[in-house]
């Protein structure tokens, strides 16, 4: 029987959303978008400063999704943007919820979107917080505005989830 795949992601500017939707289409995964109760205003002058500060200080906004939605899956894929070199606050809130789940996913994959390609630190920090082995990771460079260049990497990551 095919493993149930769930993609849980956060996206402020649409890049992670773009990648998550493409991965879901190819892999047949279920999508869950995290909606934090607080986030920076898109494109505002302070967007990067505010979001970066919130990420670095470990802010954990409330989420409109609950742990039950996360429990019943064999494969969990977590996606989010890099903020100030680390994961965005909504992902921090997700990691706390996941750590409280009684039933853990069998396999965890990560993907990250950034403006620099530097997502390794974020992946390491997520893995450390979850305290579990990560089956695979993928990094995309602002894929919404670089679709032609990034699509092959997104597609091969999606295909790797079904194996
Ligand atoms: C608050 C904030 C902080 C960011 N910090 C970084 C960073 O440290 N390194 C980087 O490469 N990109 C950084 N970026 C760029 C985003 O990671 C990148 O544009 C990503 O594709 C956005 O994903 P999204 O559209 O799903 O929100 C930052 C963007 C924001 C809004």
């Amino acid at each position: 029987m095919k493993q149930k795949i769930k993609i849980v992601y956060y996206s402020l500017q649409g890049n992670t959303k773009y990648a998550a939707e493409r991965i879901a289409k190819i892999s047949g995964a279920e999508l869950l978008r995290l909606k934090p109760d607080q986030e920076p205003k898109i494109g505002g002058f302070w967007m990067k400063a505010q979001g970066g500060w919130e990420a670095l200080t470990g802010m954990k906004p409330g989420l409109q999704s609950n742990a039950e939605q996360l429990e019943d899956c064999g494969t969990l894929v977590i996606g989010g943007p890099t903020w100030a070199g680390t994961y965005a606050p909504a992902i921090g809130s997700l990691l706390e919820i996941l750590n409280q789940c009684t039933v853990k996913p069998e396999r965890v994959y990560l993907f990250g979107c950034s403006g620099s390609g530097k997502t390794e630190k974020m992946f390491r920090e997520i893995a450390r917080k979850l305290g579990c082995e990560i089956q695979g990771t993928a990094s995309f460079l602002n894929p919404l505005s670089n679709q032609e260049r990034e699509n092959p990497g997104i597609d091969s990551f999606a295909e790797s989830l079904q194996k």
Side-chain angles (χ1 to χ4, degrees):
M1 202 183 80
K2 257 192 176 176
Q3 282 253 0
K4 185 165 177 183
I5 307 172
K6 209 169 253 193
I7 302 172
V8 185
Y9 73 97
Y10 170 69
S11 183
L12 179 69
Q13 298 170 283
N15 290 277
T16 314
K17 177 176 185 283
Y18 170 76
E21 286 175 352
R22 196 170 168 102
I23 295 165
K25 204 167 167 199
I26 294 168
S27 64
E30 205 177 290
L31 271 179
L32 178 66
R33 181 176 188 168
L34 298 174
K35 301 246 175 63
D37 56 16
Q38 266 178 281
E39 59 186 356
K41 191 167 166 272
I42 298 179
F45 180 71
W46 292 106
M47 178 182 75
K48 281 204 172 175
Q50 185 195 333
W53 172 254
E54 290 172 358
L56 286 174
T57 53
M59 191 186 94
K60 304 230 173 23
L63 296 178
Q64 290 166 20
S65 24
N66 58 37
E68 276 161 47
Q69 291 171 281
L70 300 166
E71 279 196 350
D72 64 332
C73 70
T75 298
L76 179 67
V77 183
I78 302 173
T82 300
W83 281 12
T86 185
Y87 49 81
I91 297 294
S93 304
L94 169 72
L95 299 177
E96 270 200 347
I97 294 172
L98 284 173
N99 282 333
Q100 287 160 15
C101 284
T102 42
V103 184
K104 305 285 177 197
E106 282 167 39
R107 309 194 300 168
V108 178
Y109 289 82
L110 306 176
F111 72 92
C113 295
S114 71
S116 66
K118 291 184 185 158
T119 46
E120 281 307 315
K121 178 171 168 269
M122 171 171 85
F123 293 153
R124 271 201 311 278
E125 289 172 347
I126 294 175
R128 185 164 45 84
K129 281 266 172 203
L130 283 179
C132 72
E133 195 189 323
I134 303 298
Q135 299 291 320
T137 62
S139 181
F140 310 122
L141 199 59
N142 287 333
L144 189 58
S145 47
N146 298 294
Q147 297 182 13
E148 214 170 296
R149 191 190 62 206
E150 297 300 310
N151 281 350
I154 296 174
D155 296 357
S156 65
F157 178 64
E159 280 149 19
S160 76
L161 302 175
Q162 295 158 318
K163 287 178 187 143

